[in-house]
Amino acid sequence: MRDRRTIAAQLEKGCSPRDFYRGFYVERSDDGQLCVARDRIMSRSGAKCRVTKFSRLVLERSY
């Protein structure tokens, strides 16, 4: 994210996360946001999947 947060996206059943490791793109919506169950992400290899869930990843420091 622009503010340096890291977000994980869970994809719909039947989609392989491996297809998206080399990058993906999103068609810009009218409101400029990526929403669960509404928008799809597309991989460079041609796969298209809906996002079913977003999670924020937080670095946990061990001392």
Side-chain angles (χ1 to χ4, degrees):
M1 307 296 286
R2 287 184 184 150
D3 60 2
R4 303 188 53 86
R5 287 181 296 164
T6 303
I7 304 293
Q10 183 176 347
L11 303 177
E12 65 186 327
K13 192 174 183 177
C15 285
S16 173
R18 184 175 291 165
D19 293 336
F20 296 89
Y21 283 140
R22 289 201 166 150
F24 65 92
Y25 62 98
V26 179
E27 258 185 53
R28 187 169 180 92
S29 61
D30 291 337
D31 62 7
Q33 297 188 21
L34 177 63
C35 295
V36 170
R38 180 187 76 178
D39 301 314
R40 290 180 181 252
I41 60 174
M42 281 113 353
S43 73
R44 304 278 182 213
S45 63
K48 294 181 182 180
C49 293
R50 279 198 167 85
V51 177
T52 58
K53 181 180 178 182
F54 287 114
S55 301
R56 183 174 179 200
L57 301 179
V58 179
L59 177 65
E60 185 176 301
R61 297 184 187 265
S62 60
Y63 297 98

